[in-house]
Amino acid sequence: SPPTVGDDGTVYVGSLDGTALAFGSAGQTRWQVTTGASVISIAVGQGPTAYVVSDDLKATHLITAVGAGGQVLWSSSLPDGAQPPVVTTDGALILNLFGGGLDVLSATGAVAATVPFGVSPTSFGLAMSGAGLVLAGSGDGKLYAFTM
């Protein structure tokens, strides 16, 4: 997965074998977690909690929350593959699903809302403004904006 850098300088990266890793600023391994499917992306929230999206491109679509010490806090199945999530200031996650639409997950991994729109996304992930506006590209050629 593309590397993600936390506010404290920790670098998070995932691999095709399902491993997510966190490295300190000096290059030392802080933790390593196996998710069960290829790691597509990692987003970092408060705490810092790493949210690892993994997918085997068949039937396994997961998001796993990993605490600062490398402990798995929770793991949830997704209805479809997802692009990199954004993390809101209150710890909720917003995922742009491959099948089209958004899933909003609470900080505990429970689905808080599903927002259908368009078709499969074309942009790689989502963008969120400081004011809470979420932008998502869609395969129908439109850019969608949502307030959260």
Side-chain angles (χ1 to χ4, degrees), residues 10-11 19-33 68-69:
T10 300
V11 177
T19 304
L21 300 112
F23 297 97
S25 58
Q28 74 280 17
T29 302
R30 290 203 170 154
W31 54 256
Q32 178 176 330
V33 171

Side-chain angles (χ1 to χ4, degrees), residues 119 122 137-144:
V119 295
T122 57
S138 178
D140 63 4
K142 296 179 182 176
L143 176 66
Y144 291 84

Side-chain angles (χ1 to χ4, degrees), residues 91-107:
L93 299 165
I94 304 169
L95 297 120
N96 197 357
L97 300 174
F98 289 161
L102 302 177
D103 261 3
V104 180
L105 304 181
S106 71

Side-chain angles (χ1 to χ4, degrees), residues 26-120:
Q28 74 280 17
T29 302
R30 290 203 170 154
W31 54 256
Q32 178 176 330
V33 171
T34 302
T35 66
S38 297
V39 175
I40 304 300
S41 66
I42 301 174
V44 181
Q46 298 174 341
T49 299
Y51 299 97
V52 181
V53 176
S54 53
D55 197 314
D56 69 359
L57 302 178
K58 295 177 187 164
T60 304
H61 318 289
L62 301 170
I63 184 157
T64 304
V66 182
Q71 70 280 22
V72 173
L73 303 173
W74 54 262
S75 185
S76 291
S77 292
L78 300 171
D80 198 355
Q83 295 183 353
V86 293
V87 184
T88 66
T89 54
D90 64 357
L93 299 165
I94 304 169
L95 297 120
N96 197 357
L97 300 174
F98 289 161
L102 302 177
D103 261 3
V104 180
L105 304 181
S106 71
T108 62
V111 176
T114 298
V115 182
F117 74 92
V119 295
S120 296

